[in-house]
């Protein structure tokens, strides 16, 4: 287990380095550097070159890259020109809101998705299965920015039950969390469905039935338990999708998280924030994937055994 | 038994009992494909018949509900937006934008993905390692994030949207063709060809790519739907496409301000978008089932 974990962590560090570097490259390729952006179109050439000198943009690209990499390791992505504060501090300030939103949405999606998936998967081809499959297909196809707006229209403007935007108390959380959970619920349900449907054809399910176990016991003790493993794997691959969805949902509901901060920073070309936010989100995705892997090897005795013998 | 795509269950059902139901299912199953075809026709030909200008619009006609008569005597089936522009025209022109961008993204990323994936799966070793690491790095950017950054910092243009969406879209194709190439290279006919001294490029072209084509087509439909959704998300955020172009995402975003008074501005393009994605999704599901059964 341990050597494998070391290898995984090494790969993870490589991936984060790649993400940090790619962000650097994209922002350097973009037209207009930070000095011209910051001073606006009315600035004199002298002012721009002075700021360029101050920001170190006149140095050779390689030196700039190494310097950037060096400070990135310590979490320093420079100062945001709009917030007049360390970019990482601004991003970390907004981070808890994003975590709250994504965790709530995942909890919702996992509960409902697993339920729908088991219901559909235990009787493949039946009416329940068809209906659930249809519903999940629709849930996956609806763009979240649109379902968010429609929820605002229904719940906030027509029924006046919930606030339409902003962050604050828990009532503000309801609509964004539901919106973000919709496509994710569909993903969980579809994976669970096929996993349960596959497991129920296994011989040990037949054995369990022939032992005279109740259908409920067969389902909960034998079928669902064994179908959870692929669900964990694939769901972990979709953590990125969830975080990406959060970026858009936050923008729709003016939820003050990293996502809406990032979209604003991209619009204003506040590169320090863009870098800090993308790197933070990349680290979250990579870490969650690793955690899911570890969790998976805990859940599946076969992987656990395989890892110790290798 | 007939061998129509995706309709035949693997153990042949008794003919006499099933024909009626099979026919019903066949007709039902064809509906999404027909709707998708309708979108293509409307998206390609609609703009030739309907006059719509993103800068036009009469301010007297602003925020009219669906079915209202405009000041020039015509009827706005889907209503008008805050600048008095006809929403029906926006939906039609938006369909064209979505379809063109979706097609370009899938073509580019499919080509790149198959190239990289087949090379990685067939040659293995360093090529495979390099491709896998690049994919790892790209997947670290959650979802649409990389596209947001790319489309956001470069100057707005049609091309940059296609590039931004293709940057991550090729990964699915690469993964599929990589895993298929890996198993195919161990098959007897590939081995015989290798022993006979057939050049590698020819082996890939003649003995590997034809087998990858089917599942790739199935994946392409799914990715096409994904690209359309992603383009709409970008233009919803106000990134990417030049402001003079017409896109569903832009229209939905512009309607958000007027939700309380003119719900149709956001609602209708969203329905158009969702319906298209659902139909493409259905088609993709059926293709996937068809090709996985064939294997």
């Amino acid at each position: 287990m341990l050597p494998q974990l070391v290898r995984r962590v090494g790969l993870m560090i490589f991936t984060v380095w790649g993400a940090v570097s790619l962000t650097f490259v994209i922002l350097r390729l973009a037209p207009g550097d930070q000095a011209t952006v910051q001073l606006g179109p009315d600035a004199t050439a002298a002012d721009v070159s002075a700021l360029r000198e101050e920001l170190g943009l006149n140095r050779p690209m390689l030196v700039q890259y190494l310097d950037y990499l060096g400070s990135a390791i310590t979490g320093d992505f420079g100062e945001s020109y709009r917030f007049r504060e360390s970019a990482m501090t601004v991003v970390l300030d907004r981070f808890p809101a994003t975590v709250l939103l994504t965790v709530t949405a995942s909890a919702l999606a996992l509960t409902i998705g697993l339920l729908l998936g088991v219901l559909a998967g235990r009787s493949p081809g039946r009416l329940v299965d068809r209906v659930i499959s249809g519903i999940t297909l629709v849930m996956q196809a609806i763009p979240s920015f649109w379902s968010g707006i429609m929820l605002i229209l229904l719940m906030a403007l027509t029924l006046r039950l919930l606030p339409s935007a902003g962050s604050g108390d828990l009532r503000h959380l309801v609509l964004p969390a539901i919106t973000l959970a919709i496509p994710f619920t569909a993903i969980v349900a579809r994976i669970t469905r096929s996993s349960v449907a596959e497991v129920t054809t296994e011989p040990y399910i037949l054995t369990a039935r022939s032992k005279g176990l109740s259908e409920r016991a067969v389902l909960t003790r034998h079928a669902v338990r064994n179908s959870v493993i692929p669900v964990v794997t694939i769901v972990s691959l979709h953590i990125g999708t969830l975080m990406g969805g959060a970026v858009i949902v936050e923008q729709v509901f003016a939820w003050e998280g990293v996502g809406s901060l990032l979209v604003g920073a991209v619009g204003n070309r506040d590169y320090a924030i863009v870098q800090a936010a993308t790197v933070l989100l990349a680290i979250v995705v990579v870490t969650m994937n690793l955690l899911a892997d570890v969790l998976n090897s805990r859940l599946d005795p076969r992987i656990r055994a395989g890892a110790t013998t290798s | 038994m007939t061998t129509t795509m995706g309709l035949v269950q693997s153990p042949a059902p008794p003919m006499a009992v099933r024909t009626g139901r099979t026919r019903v299912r066949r007709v039902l199953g064809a509906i999404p494909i027909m709707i998708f075809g309708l979108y293509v026709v409307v998206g390609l030909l609609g703009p030739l018949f309907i006059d719509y200008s993103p800068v036009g619009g009469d301010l007297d006609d602003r925020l009219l509900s669906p079915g209202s008569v405009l000041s020039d005597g015509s009827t706005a089936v889907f209503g008008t937006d805050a600048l008095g522009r006809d929403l029906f025209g926006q939906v039609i022109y938006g369909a064209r934008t979505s379809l063109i961008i979706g097609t370009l993204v899938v073509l580019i990323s499919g080509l790149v993905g198959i190239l990289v994936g087949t090379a990685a799966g067939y040659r293995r070793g360093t090529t495979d390692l390099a491709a896998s690491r690049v994919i790892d790095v790209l997947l670290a950017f959650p979802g649409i994030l990389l596209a947001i950054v790319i489309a956001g910092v470069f100057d707005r243009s049609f091309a940059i949207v296609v590039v931004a969406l293709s940057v991550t879209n090729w990964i699915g194709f690469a993964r599929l063709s990589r895993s298929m190439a890996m198993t195919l290279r161990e098959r007897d006919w590939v081995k015989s060809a290798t022993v006979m001294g057939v050049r590698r490029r020819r082996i890939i072209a003649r003995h590997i790519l034809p087998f990858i084509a089917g599942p790739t087509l199935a994946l392409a439909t799914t990715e096409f739907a994904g690209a359309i959704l992603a383009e709409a998300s970008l233009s919803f955020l106000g990134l990417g496409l030049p402001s003079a172009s017409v896109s569903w995402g832009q229209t939905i975003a512009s309607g958000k301000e007027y939700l309380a008074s003119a719900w149709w501005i956001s609602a209708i393009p969203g329905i158009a978008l969702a319906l298209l994605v659902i139909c493409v999704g259905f088609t993709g599901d059926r293709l996937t089932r068809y090709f996985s059964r064939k294997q």
Side-chain angles (χ1 to χ4, degrees):
Chain A
M1 186 72 211
L2 198 66
Q4 217 189 6
L5 199 66
V6 171
R7 203 181 94 86
R8 284 296 317 250
V9 172
L11 272 182
M12 187 179 133
I13 292 169
F14 172 85
T15 307
V16 171
W17 165 78
V20 169
S21 306
L22 185 59
T23 319
F24 178 84
V25 172
I26 292 171
L27 294 185
R28 287 311 135 111
L29 284 177
D33 59 17
Q34 192 67 91
T36 35
V37 170
Q38 214 163 312
L39 293 171
D42 301 330
T44 62
D47 283 346
V48 172
S49 71
L51 187 61
R52 242 181 221 151
E53 193 62 48
E54 193 191 317
L55 293 172
L57 295 173
N58 287 333
R59 296 172 298 165
M61 209 43 103
L62 188 66
V63 176
Q64 286 188 46
Y65 172 67
L66 290 176
D67 181 45
Y68 163 71
L69 211 56
S71 3
I73 290 174
T74 61
D76 174 17
F77 287 88
E79 193 179 82
S80 152
Y81 81 89
R82 276 171 61 242
F83 292 88
R84 296 269 162 234
E85 223 184 320
S86 151
M88 209 36 159
T89 317
V90 177
V91 171
L92 285 177
D93 248 18
R94 298 282 205 107
F95 191 50
T98 300
V99 173
L100 178 66
L101 176 62
T102 45
V103 168
T104 316
S106 322
L108 262 178
L110 283 172
T111 326
I112 301 171
L114 276 171
L115 203 73
L116 288 177
V118 172
L119 275 179
R122 71 171 184 186
S123 47
R126 294 277 191 79
L127 186 66
V128 198
D129 178 33
R130 297 249 183 92
V131 170
I132 290 178
S133 297
I135 292 173
T136 52
L137 192 70
V138 172
M139 284 165 82
Q140 243 180 325
I142 295 176
S144 54
F145 57 88
W146 185 70
S147 52
I149 291 179
M150 291 301 111
L151 279 175
I152 293 177
L153 180 62
L154 181 71
M155 305 300 286
L157 297 177
T158 312
L159 300 175
R160 299 188 182 282
L161 290 174
L162 293 159
S164 64
S167 13
D169 57 42
L170 282 179
R171 281 157 33 95
H172 287 99
L173 178 63
V174 180
L175 291 184
I178 293 176
T179 309
L180 185 55
I182 290 174
F184 207 51
T185 308
I187 294 172
V188 175
R190 299 193 106 197
I191 302 162
T192 313
R193 181 211 167 268
S194 57
S195 182
V196 170
E198 205 181 303
V199 163
T200 42
T201 62
E202 296 273 345
Y204 56 75
I205 296 296
L206 194 64
T207 312
R209 284 216 176 99
S210 55
K211 277 199 308 198
L213 285 185
S214 68
E215 195 55 27
R216 194 199 175 93
V218 173
L219 203 66
T220 51
R221 278 217 223 120
H222 298 272
V224 173
R225 262 195 182 196
N226 284 298
S227 39
V228 162
I229 295 155
V231 174
V232 172
T233 315
I234 302 180
V235 163
S236 75
L237 288 176
H238 282 281
I239 289 168
T241 322
L242 183 74
M243 302 294 290
V247 174
I248 290 165
V249 171
E250 283 180 9
Q251 188 70 13
V252 174
F253 291 95
W255 181 262
E256 306 226 308
V258 181
S260 52
L261 177 73
L262 177 75
V263 173
V266 166
N268 292 309
R269 308 224 166 165
D270 192 346
Y271 288 172
I273 297 273
V274 174
Q275 278 165 343
T278 39
V279 170
L280 180 72
L281 291 179
I283 290 175
V284 170
V285 170
V286 174
T287 318
M288 293 305 284
N289 284 340
L290 181 72
L291 281 180
D293 260 19
V294 174
L295 179 67
N296 227 346
S297 65
R298 292 281 105 195
L299 283 175
D300 191 343
R302 283 168 304 184
I303 302 178
R304 203 156 60 210
T308 42
T309 48
S310 70
Chain B
M1 266 321 282
T2 48
T3 46
T4 318
M5 234 192 253
L7 285 165
V8 178
Q9 306 286 309
S10 21
M15 278 287 276
V17 195
R18 281 298 189 98
T19 27
R21 278 175 74 188
T22 317
R23 190 166 301 145
V24 172
R25 281 176 68 186
R26 184 177 303 167
V27 172
L28 281 179
I31 289 176
I33 300 173
M34 279 154 55
I35 298 179
F36 176 44
L38 193 70
Y39 269 91
V40 175
V41 172
V42 167
L44 291 181
L45 301 180
L48 300 178
F49 296 105
I50 292 166
D51 230 7
Y52 171 79
S53 153
V55 286
D58 195 332
L59 281 178
D60 292 339
D61 295 332
R62 61 198 303 267
L63 304 178
L64 291 177
S65 60
S68 307
V69 179
L70 300 183
S71 51
D72 63 359
S74 59
T75 313
V77 192
F78 290 166
T80 58
D81 71 0
L83 295 171
R85 296 174 299 191
D86 178 29
L87 212 57
F88 185 67
Q90 286 188 43
V91 170
I92 304 282
Y93 276 68
R96 182 174 65 174
T97 312
S98 285
L99 290 170
I100 294 177
I101 290 188
T103 311
L104 285 176
V105 169
V106 167
L107 279 181
I108 294 174
S109 49
L111 220 65
V112 173
I114 292 174
L115 216 67
V116 174
T118 322
Y122 186 75
R123 301 177 66 169
R124 299 204 281 205
T126 337
T127 320
D128 189 22
L129 199 71
S132 305
R133 290 296 85 82
V134 171
I135 290 175
D136 275 354
V137 169
L138 289 177
L139 285 182
F141 291 93
I144 197 175
L145 185 71
L146 200 55
I148 289 178
V149 172
I150 295 176
V153 299
F154 287 94
D155 293 332
R156 286 159 169 260
S157 76
F158 204 81
I160 203 69
V161 173
V162 174
V163 171
L165 296 178
S166 304
V167 164
T168 44
N169 205 275
W170 64 275
I171 293 174
F173 292 101
R175 287 186 151 174
L176 177 73
S177 47
R178 172 180 175 269
S179 69
M180 289 202 69
M182 267 180 150
T183 47
L184 282 167
R185 77 193 291 269
E186 306 299 335
R187 301 296 285 270
D188 288 339
W189 66 86
V190 177
K191 283 185 172 165
S192 338
T194 318
V195 172
M196 280 165 70
V198 180
R199 274 179 298 127
R200 190 155 66 192
R201 204 167 284 181
R202 201 174 158 74
I203 292 182
I204 290 180
R206 289 293 295 272
H207 302 293
I208 291 193
L209 283 183
F211 295 91
I212 296 180
T216 301
L217 182 69
L219 179 67
T221 49
T222 326
E223 297 280 351
F224 179 71
I228 287 175
L229 270 183
E231 184 279 316
S233 307
L234 280 185
S235 40
F236 173 78
L237 295 175
L239 305 169
L241 287 181
S243 41
S245 52
V246 185
S247 156
W248 288 334
Q250 268 171 16
T251 310
I252 294 172
S254 73
K256 204 186 158 216
E257 271 178 76
Y258 303 95
L259 264 188
S261 52
W263 54 268
W264 52 89
I265 305 175
S266 285
I268 291 174
I271 295 171
L273 173 59
L275 186 64
L276 174 59
V277 175
I278 290 168
C279 291
V280 176
F282 257 115
T283 315
D285 269 11
R286 287 190 47 201
L287 284 174
T288 313
R289 246 178 290 152
Y290 173 70
F291 285 116
S292 57
R293 199 160 36 233
K294 225 173 83 168
Q295 292 239 312

